[in-house]
Amino acid sequence: MHMKLINLLPGINMVRQFLSDDKNNGVKHAYYVWDYNQNGVLAFDTEAQFQLNVERYKKQDVHFSKLLTVEAATQRSMGVTKATIHVFRDANPNSVLTEFEINGVVQLDYCGVAFGYMPASCEMTVIEIEL
């Protein structure tokens, strides 16, 4: 079995910078996901946008699994006042929603990782944040 060493800091710092930019632009509340195709953060600015995405997940047989509270120290380190992790899980536990490799670079769910949750390969996260 071949193991790869992955430096998580660049991905986490991308999330931190995105949140900082949103905060500086006056965003108060949004939902954030890691977009593998763009290798970056994607934001849903409204509850309605988030719910549309949840419906899209359902159509792909990816369903809400659990809601996790982020530790206060992690919230402070990421520069947010409140963060909640919405975990979604594929109905097929053998599916792979995360851990893609693009151009030789492993892509993880850096939004989840940045807030202290390492999703299983059949899971993905949406982070609800109050800036």
Side-chain angles (χ1 to χ4, degrees), residues 24 31 62 94 98:
N24 290 337
Y31 302 83
V62 176
N94 296 317
T98 60

Side-chain angles (χ1 to χ4, degrees), residues 59-72:
K59 289 177 182 173
Q60 297 171 9
D61 218 8
V62 176
H63 304 279
F64 175 77
S65 173
K66 58 189 166 188
L67 195 63
L68 303 170
T69 303
V70 176
E71 292 182 13

Side-chain angles (χ1 to χ4, degrees), residues 3 47 54 64 66 70 86 104 106 109 114 129 131:
M3 301 279 291
E47 171 77 20
V54 169
F64 175 77
K66 58 189 166 188
V70 176
H86 299 254
V106 174
D109 182 347
I129 294 175
L131 297 164

